[in-house]
């Protein structure tokens, strides 16, 4: 089969890897100039580093298996990083169950309810039972109003803004049930995984082409793809891994099609190269409602700074609406606006600590998973018989992640008889 794949992220490259090993001719078309999609990388000290913070969990079996298939199993290491919460103007340890029980705003009863509700969510299998319930309503009832107001509500509002009250409990269940305290990272970054997939595809006669922004997708006898550079491709079968709205525009689908109905937030992320550490944790949740960002992640609390030439790597990340000022503001101006808040976290922080910085943003990074979301998940089949959709909006209730993208690719290639 002559197979086309749109998108060189985790889903597209895994699908290409599976198909080319089964003897099919494969061409991957990527709009950007780099691999990985939302897991793409820049370089710090000559070493690849993800543009947006990435790690995997012990439970991410599909990604772990793929890393092993590619001969990179020895490069995958698991770490036990620390977590904190910034709340009430102070840094609060939140790594261990005991830290959580000692949270300053909890009474003994609050601690018991918080721990008990979290334990239930870890134990319950099949989060679909939470489909029709909103997260904050469930948490206020079972975790308690004080614990919800101190921990869960600031996190959900920080991530989803005015949509927080509509976020499905199934989504939050997946966040708690499927995650582990240990985090995995590949020596040299996840770029190695995507480069190995590309190399494996090309060694078997496949192609990965960059700068191929898709303009239109049509089907006559074959699936036809026209790119913005004027190039045209025809395939027996086409797998599209782009976000739903991008596919809908390219395919000319009617405005009432379900691909338009699911809502996405954009992501923005600074990577700061510092000459010293800024927080005592790997991950710091910001539970202050007036902060303009959601989390601060000091990557070099998990990976030694010597890997990056002695630089301390700090991510400052956000999920926002695409018309939000934090998405539309020029990056240098935005960083200036963020600096006073970094000083609130660490009063000693000074702009001179920043030796270099990078900024990335993506328009379709986080689906907004509401109780209605499941009914809006589009099928893999599309109105064009030779075109299959495989996008993160079809991952439920987890909704995104490298391992889930790998699993999605393998589900689709198996269904199409490409493996």
């Amino acid at each position: 089969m002559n197979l086309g794949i749109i998108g060189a992220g985790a889903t597209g490259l895994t699908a290409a890897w599976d198909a080319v090993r089964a003897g099919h001719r494969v061409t991957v078309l990527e709009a950007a100039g780099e691999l990985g999609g939302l897991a793409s990388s820049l370089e710090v000290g000559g070493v690849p580093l993800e543009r947006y913070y990435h790690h995997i969990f012990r439970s991410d079996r599909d990604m772990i298996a793929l890393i092993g298939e590619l001969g990179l199993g020895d490069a995958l290491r698991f770490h036990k990083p620390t977590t904190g919460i910034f709340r009430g103007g102070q840094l609060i340890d939140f790594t261990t169950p005991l830290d959580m029980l000692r949270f300053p705003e909890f009474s003994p009863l609050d601690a018991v309810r918080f721990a008990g509700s979290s334990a239930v969510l870890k134990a319950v299998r099949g989060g679909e039972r939470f489909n029709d319930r909103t997260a904050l309503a469930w948490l206020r009832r079972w975790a308690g109003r004080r614990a919800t107001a101190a921990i869960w509500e600031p996190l959900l509002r920080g991530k989803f803004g005015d949509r927080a009250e509509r976020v499905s409990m199934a989504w939050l269940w997946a966040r708690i049930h499927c995650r582990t305290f240990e985090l995995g990272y590949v020596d040299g970054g996840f770029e190695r995984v995507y480069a190995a997939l590309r190399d494996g595809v090309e060694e078997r006669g496949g192609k990965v082409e960059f700068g191929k922004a898709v303009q239109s997708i049509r089907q006559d006898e074959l699936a036809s793809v026209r790119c913005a550079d004027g190039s045209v491709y025809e395939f027996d079968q086409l797998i599209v891994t782009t976000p739903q709205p991008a596919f809908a525009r390219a395919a000319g689908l009617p405005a009432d099609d379900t691909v338009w109905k699911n809502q996405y937030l954009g992501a923005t992320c600074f990577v700061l190269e510092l000459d010293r550490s800024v927080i005592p944790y790997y991950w710091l949740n910001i539970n202050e409602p007036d902060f303009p960002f959601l989390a601060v992640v000091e990557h070099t609390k998990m990976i030694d700074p010597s890997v990056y030439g002695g630089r301390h790597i700090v991510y400052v990340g956000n999920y926002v609406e695409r018309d939000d000022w934090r998405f539309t503001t020029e990056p240098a101006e935005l960083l200036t606006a963020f600096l006073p808040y970094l000083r609130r976290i660490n009063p000693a922080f000074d702009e001179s600590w920043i030796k270099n910085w990078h900024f990335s943003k993506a328009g379709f990074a986080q689906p907004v998973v509401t109780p209605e979301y499941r009914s809006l998940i589009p099928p893999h089949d599309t109105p064009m018989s030779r075109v299959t959709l495989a996008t993160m909006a079809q991952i439920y209730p987890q909704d995104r992640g490298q391992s889930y993208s790998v699993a999605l690719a393998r589900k689709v290639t198996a269904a199409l008889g490409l493996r």
Side-chain angles (χ1 to χ4, degrees), residues 185-381:
Y185 193 75
V186 173
D187 292 343
F190 288 106
E191 170 77 11
R192 292 182 65 187
V193 177
Y194 300 111
L197 285 169
R198 176 203 59 204
D199 293 346
V201 168
E202 293 181 341
E203 286 166 4
R204 291 162 176 80
K207 299 177 184 178
V208 180
E209 300 187 17
F210 297 99
K212 297 294 182 179
V214 172
Q215 197 170 60
S216 67
I217 300 170
R218 299 291 184 267
Q219 180 177 312
D220 293 316
E221 292 186 7
L222 299 174
S224 176
V225 178
R226 179 178 293 276
C227 297
D229 64 1
S231 56
V232 178
Y233 299 81
E234 289 189 329
F235 302 108
D236 298 320
Q237 185 70 42
L238 178 68
I239 298 174
V240 180
T241 72
T242 58
Q244 289 172 283
F247 166 66
R249 282 193 294 269
L253 295 179
D256 62 349
D257 195 283
T258 57
V259 295
W260 294 102
K261 294 180 182 178
N262 279 337
Q263 299 297 307
Y264 292 79
L265 297 177
T268 69
C269 193
F270 282 102
V271 176
L272 307 181
E273 300 181 33
L274 306 179
D275 63 4
R276 68 200 77 184
S277 173
V278 71
I279 57 174
Y281 312 104
Y282 166 70
W283 189 286
L284 181 66
N285 286 316
I286 306 299
N287 283 36
E288 294 280 37
D290 65 323
F291 263 61
F293 47 82
L294 176 67
V296 178
V297 181
E298 188 157 331
H299 177 73
T300 41
K301 290 296 183 184
M302 185 169 72
I303 307 302
D304 195 274
S306 63
V307 172
Y308 307 101
R311 294 285 171 87
H312 295 258
I313 306 301
V314 174
Y315 291 95
V316 182
N318 249 340
Y319 293 97
V320 293
E321 304 282 354
R322 290 181 296 282
D323 60 357
D324 188 278
W325 68 273
R326 292 163 293 180
F327 196 85
T328 60
T329 299
E330 194 273 329
E333 183 182 345
L334 185 63
L335 179 59
T336 299
F338 283 4
L339 294 180
Y341 296 91
L342 290 173
R343 292 189 194 100
R344 281 175 59 180
I345 294 169
N346 181 346
F349 173 78
D350 187 82
E351 187 175 356
S352 65
W353 295 10
I354 304 174
K355 300 307 175 185
N356 196 13
W357 59 270
H358 315 267
F359 178 77
S360 302
K361 67 179 182 179
F364 301 97
Q366 172 63 64
V368 182
V369 182
T370 64
E372 299 79 30
Y373 184 91
R374 192 181 186 192
S375 66
L376 298 176
I377 296 174
H380 295 298
D381 293 336

